[in-house]
């Protein structure tokens, strides 16, 4: 146990974590790196150059004549996947904090760092990309010293591209990070920090042994669910899974026990022996709180059960996804899914398409609201369709967040304008170092779920980083905006919006839908309404056949007669005709600006 080190890599998005991990794997001769980012195994991760899943891998390294086992977990950097990071941190004793030499400390770096400090991890600061022409290692060192309060000589300068500083990092991991603590004689306690679905072998759970020993063929049970299994195979994670006879305290590995149903494996659960169970489960895992809700519906109604199975399998691999069944007049049966953010939602949609071959329609994302009625009762609503009658509502509360934005002084003006436009309220601003400033805002979550992050990036030319924490519910003046097609409300297009923005938004939605809905044989009226009050209208003209073409000469009443006849037909058609809303229209609401 003295020669085991468990550590993870944390950093802001795009600071070179995965490339640095490649160099470590290469240096310890664990694998031959063929093409970059070996740990990012999904095609999606490679295409977008982001890490979505945390990946664990074991390396062996000889230092001063002793052999050490190093378990490395590479984590995502995007704020939408911070739940993955919290799980990796729970399975480690130390963390490499990586900061880009040309960009300095960013918002996500700080929030991940605080998470690591809360779990008492040993932090090793590293400045990456020191070989770049735009690198400013001295300034970045100042920032790290100010943030961590460490000594200058503790900071390692490295480069994932050239391999500079890799040896010092491995030395620091062995010298500074403590070995895992635990008792091999105690009853087995192992923490599940991830799981994957394999269609041949069932569900594979990844765990870290906190106390005791687990051997192949042991009878084990999962503490929280109370289910019992045989450990058919246990082993360690190299690039592939390598079976072992036993895993001792401090080891990180996997267990295969032929589990078929996804509900039986909970991330954060504890594995123990049936014969000698542990007294209590391992603490330290909070339930994930989804931020953004959207309806996910199959395009073909009969695919509903397949979609449920696909979501369950996806949930194993991505524990921050939550879902429950719901139905909609326009779209039939589907699921209300909770995501951590917009990127997370996009990734889930992509993965459903690629890994499970599911074609889905996604509705406009929104957040959950608390609705207080006049009797003093309270109801949580995720979907504008579930709103009670406006006359019964006393007031509505919506979730607020505390946002921190780090940027250079050049962009303070435009960023403040953006935040004020989103009903933000400036709490304070602090100068970090040089010309970098951190702005703290209190703002409604509903305003930032759609396009805030993209706008922030474009306003600041990519130089602002954003991070947020929920800060409870506050009363707001919100109204439900309905979209009617020929007098029929389309429930998938209705949204909850602030009273001040409602008129503007209703008008823009009607204009946008007019472009996207194809013309029919009859006239279509598109209206935006608040309750019974219509606030905007657009009309899609009917496609008409020239019925008077054959009337030449003669009296005008002949033409009039034909047109009247056509008019009656169009009116009858309007009563029975239904309007198909294309998928593009649901997504267009997201990109209104």
């Amino acid at each position: 146990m003295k020669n085991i080190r468990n550590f993870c890599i944390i950093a802001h998005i795009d600071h070179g974590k995965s490339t640095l991990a490649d160099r470590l794997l290469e240096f310890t001769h664990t694998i031959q790196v063929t093409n970059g980012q070996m740990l990012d195994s999904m095609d999606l991760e490679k295409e977008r150059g982001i890490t979505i899943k945390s990946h664990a891998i074991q390396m062996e390294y000889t230092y001063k004549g002793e052999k050490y086992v190093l378990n490395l977990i590479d984590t995502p950097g995007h704020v939408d996947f911070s739940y993955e990071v919290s799980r990796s941190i729970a399975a480690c004793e130390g963390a490499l904090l990586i900061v880009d030499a040309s960009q300095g400390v960013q918002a996500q770096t700080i929030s991940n760092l605080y998470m690591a400090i809360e779990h008492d991890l040993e932090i090793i600061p590293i400045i990456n990309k020191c070989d770049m022409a735009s690198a400013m290692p001295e300034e970045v060192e100042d920032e790290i010293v100010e943030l961590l309060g460490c000594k200058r000589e503790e900071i390692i300068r490295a480069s994932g591209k050239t391999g500079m500083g890799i040896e010092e990092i491995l030395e620091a991991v062995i010298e500074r990070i403590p070995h895992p603590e635990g008792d091999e004689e105690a009853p087995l306690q192992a923490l599940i920090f991830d799981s994957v679905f394999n269609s041949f072998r069932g569900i594979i759970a990844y765990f870290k042994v906190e106390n005791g020993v687990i051997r192949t063929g042991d009878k084990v049970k999962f503490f929280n669910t109370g289910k019992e299994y045989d450990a058919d195979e246990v082993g360690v994670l190299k690039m592939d899974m390598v079976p072992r006879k036993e895993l001792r305290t401090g080891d990180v590995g996997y267990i295969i026990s032929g589990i078929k149903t996804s509900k039986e494996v909970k991330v954060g659960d504890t594995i123990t022996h049936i014969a000698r169970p542990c007294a209590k489960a391992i603490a330290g895992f909070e339930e994930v709180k989804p931020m953004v809700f959207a309806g996910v519906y199959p395009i073909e109604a009969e695919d509903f059960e397949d979609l449920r199975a696909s979501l369950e399998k996806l949930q194993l691999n991505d524990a921050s996804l939550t879902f429950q069944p719901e139905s909609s007049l326009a779209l039939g049966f589907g699921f209300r899914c909770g995501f951590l953010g917009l990127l997370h939602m996009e990734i889930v949609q992509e993965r459903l398409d690629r890994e499970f071959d599911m074609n889905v329609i996604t509705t406009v994302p929104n957040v959950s609201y608390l609705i207080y009625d006049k009797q003093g009762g309270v109801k949580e609503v995720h979907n504008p369709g579930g709103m009670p009658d406006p006359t019964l509502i006393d007031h509505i509360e919506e979730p607020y967040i505390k946002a921190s934005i780090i940027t250079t002084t050049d962009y303070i003006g435009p960023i403040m304008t953006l935040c004020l436009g989103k009903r933000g309220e400036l709490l304070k601003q602090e100068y970090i170092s040089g010309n970098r400033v951190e702005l703290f805002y209190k703002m409604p979550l509903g305003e930032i779920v759609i396009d805030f992050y993209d706008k922030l990036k474009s306003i600041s030319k990519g130089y602002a980083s954003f991070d947020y924490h929920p800060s409870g519910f506050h009363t707001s003046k919100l109204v439900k905006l309905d979209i009617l097609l020929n007098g029929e409300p389309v429930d998938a297009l209705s949204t909850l919006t602030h009273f001040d923005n409602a008129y503007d938004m209703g008008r823009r939605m009607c204009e946008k839908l007019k472009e996207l809905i194809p013309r029919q044989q009859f006239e279509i009226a598109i209206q935006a309404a608040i309750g019974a009050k219509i606030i905007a209208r657009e009309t899609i003209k009917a496609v008409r056949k020239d019925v008077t073409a054959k009337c030449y000469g003669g009296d005008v009443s002949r033409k009039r007669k034909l047109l009247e006849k056509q008019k009656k037909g169009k009116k009858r058609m309007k009563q029975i005709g239904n309007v198909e809303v294309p998928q593009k229209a649901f997504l267009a609401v997201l990109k209104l600006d």
Side-chain angles (χ1 to χ4, degrees), residues 366-540:
N366 53 24
V367 297
S368 55
Y369 298 92
L370 294 179
I371 295 179
Y372 290 83
D373 57 26
K374 290 182 174 160
Q375 279 76 43
V378 61
K379 176 182 176 190
E380 188 176 357
V381 170
H382 300 308
N383 185 349
M387 290 249 318
D389 193 88
T391 52
L392 305 173
I393 297 174
D394 183 47
H395 65 277
I396 302 177
E397 290 189 354
E398 64 173 332
Y400 268 67
I401 55 162
K402 186 180 171 190
S404 93
I405 299 169
I406 297 181
T407 180
T408 52
T409 42
D410 319 350
Y411 304 114
I412 290 184
I415 287 175
M416 283 186 162
T417 316
L418 172 70
C419 292
L420 287 172
K422 297 282 186 192
R423 298 191 282 136
E425 182 184 319
L426 182 66
L427 298 173
K428 61 176 177 184
Q429 63 187 63
E430 289 174 0
Y431 284 85
I432 305 176
S433 63
N435 67 340
R436 291 159 61 87
V437 63
E438 183 168 13
L439 304 170
F440 293 96
Y441 268 95
K442 179 177 143 189
M443 52 205 303
L445 180 63
E447 292 283 343
I448 67 158
V449 295
I450 293 186
D451 55 0
F452 179 77
Y453 194 63
D454 306 343
K455 280 189 178 162
L456 181 70
K457 282 287 183 221
S458 53
I459 282 177
S460 63
K461 304 193 172 59
Y463 272 105
S465 55
F466 172 69
D467 183 44
Y468 61 86
H469 302 285
S471 74
F473 283 78
H474 299 278
T475 308
S476 287
K477 192 176 178 189
L478 298 169
V479 289
K480 181 183 172 194
L481 181 69
D482 284 315
I483 299 293
L484 314 172
L485 293 182
N486 279 344
E488 290 290 319
V490 182
D491 57 351
L493 285 175
S494 57
T495 51
L496 267 174
T497 178
H498 195 263
F499 184 76
D500 301 344
N501 307 343
Y503 281 81
D504 185 39
M505 184 160 175
R507 197 191 71 247
R508 295 208 318 254
M509 274 170 88
C510 288
E511 284 166 8
K512 194 81 188 166
L513 287 170
K514 185 180 179 180
E515 294 165 25
L516 291 168
I517 293 177
R519 287 174 71 180
Q520 307 279 353
Q521 294 272 325
F522 50 91
E523 194 176 88
I524 304 171
I526 305 170
Q527 294 163 310
I530 298 174
K533 186 179 177 191
I534 304 290
I535 56 170
R537 167 172 174 142
E538 293 285 333
T539 309
I540 299 176

Side-chain angles (χ1 to χ4, degrees), residues 17 35 86 109 145 177 185 194 202 214 227 233 256 324 328 353 370-371 377 417 439 445 470 477-478 530 542 564:
K17 300 177 290 296
N35 54 353
S86 75
T109 318
V145 168
I177 293 178
E185 302 307 313
D194 205 355
I214 183 169
K227 301 272 186 191
E233 180 181 309
I256 298 177
Q324 65 210 48
S328 138
D353 185 30
L370 294 179
I371 295 179
T417 316
L439 304 170
L445 180 63
K477 192 176 178 189
L478 298 169
I530 298 174
E564 285 298 325

